[in-house]
Structures are given as C-alpha cells and as structure tokens.
Amino acid sequence: MTVTETETTTGTGADTCAGPPQRDRRPDGADKYTISEVVALTGLTAHTLRWYERIGLMPHIDRSHTGQRRYSNRDLDWLALVGKLRLTGMPVADMVRYAELVRAGDHTYTERFELLQRTREDVLSRIAELQGTLAVLDRKIDFYADAGRALASERAR
C-alpha cells in the first residue's frame, strides 16, 4: 500500500479504511506480530493468512532471520480492509486486482475508484433486496403474533 493510500485528508497518515485503532496493537516500530498473534487479533486462520499471501492479496510480509512471518500494524490495517471487502461480497479476483492496483501506485486511482464504486453499487442493491426480504418476514411475524393472540383469546373463553 502506498503512503498516499493510507493518508487522510488531514495528512495524519492514519488508515481511514481500518476503523478505530485496536487496543491490543503495539506501537509502530515495535509492531512485529507472529502469524499466531495475527490469528488471535483478526480471527482469521493461519491457512487463510498464508493463502492471502500466496494469491497476492497480502503485500509482501516481512520475515524474521529464521524465516517466520512478521506482520506489522499496516498489515493488520490491510487485513481489516480485506475483511470489509469480503463482507461486501467482492469476488476474491477483484480483491486481488485491487491489491495489485494499490501496489502499482497513484496512477491507478481511477481504476481503484471504479472497482470500489461497482462494489458499492452491488452492496446497495443487496441491501435493498434484504430490506424487501425483511419486510416479508415482518409481515409473517406480525401475522403469527396476531394469530397466536387470537388463539389464546379463544382458549380463554
């Protein structure tokens, strides 16, 4: 991820996609997490983390002198964004493409924008569909609640 990808309009350098800072994080510079620590922090499996790296969804992960993966706060921020993208239903291929675009640099802003805009439109469409489904469920629940009250009233007579 480029520096500009994580900067806010105020220039603080904070990642606006990752949400509020997590309290279990180490300060920058001392933020070298093992894969098992990242598993505990994110809820992802070690297999998933390795797979993300293998398919190009994760940027280069640093390694210790013994070859163990060492994740940074920036990696945790990226994983948080990937988690949000997964929740949108974005296909893995699109997530990998987005990661490639981020790594390619600022000249890909337009393509990133378009990819995220399409995803947003898909999410809004799914939300509308779910709201319609919720309305049907609410009508059925109201029907059964009314029917239950009517039966209870009839039995009380």
Side-chain angles (χ1 to χ4, degrees):
M1 192 175 329
T2 64
V3 173
T4 54
E5 176 74 10
T6 59
E7 285 181 350
T8 64
T9 55
T10 60
T12 62
D15 184 75
T16 58
C17 299
Q22 297 175 341
R23 60 180 167 81
D24 295 335
R25 289 196 179 184
R26 298 176 185 136
D28 288 342
D31 58 332
K32 298 297 177 201
Y33 303 93
T34 64
I35 198 166
S36 61
E37 289 171 322
V38 173
V39 164
L41 287 168
T42 65
L44 297 170
T45 66
H47 174 77
T48 298
L49 292 167
R50 289 186 202 101
W51 180 65
Y52 282 179
E53 191 176 352
R54 204 169 40 252
I55 65 172
L57 190 53
M58 283 295 298
H60 172 74
I61 303 299
D62 288 337
R63 302 279 181 144
S64 70
H65 67 283
T66 60
Q68 291 181 313
R69 289 170 178 84
R70 292 291 185 233
Y71 295 84
S72 67
N73 287 331
R74 191 174 194 175
D75 296 325
L76 294 178
D77 290 343
W78 180 256
L79 286 169
L81 174 61
V82 168
K84 296 298 181 192
L85 294 177
R86 286 183 66 222
L87 287 174
T88 70
M90 180 186 273
V92 173
D94 286 350
M95 288 188 281
V96 171
R97 178 68 184 142
Y98 180 77
E100 291 168 349
L101 292 169
V102 169
R103 287 191 295 272
D106 295 351
H107 69 281
T108 65
Y109 275 10
T110 301
E111 197 172 345
R112 288 186 245 174
F113 170 83
E114 291 167 354
L115 179 62
L116 293 175
Q117 188 65 33
R118 280 192 308 273
T119 301
R120 184 180 191 279
E121 290 166 7
D122 291 344
V123 168
L124 288 172
S125 175
R126 287 193 4 251
I127 288 171
E129 184 178 8
L130 286 171
Q131 286 173 331
T133 301
L134 183 60
V136 169
L137 287 172
D138 287 343
R139 284 193 300 275
K140 285 296 193 183
I141 289 168
D142 289 346
F143 170 81
Y144 288 115
D146 292 344
R149 282 191 293 273
L151 284 174
S153 173
E154 205 171 289
R155 288 182 186 149
R157 290 184 197 177

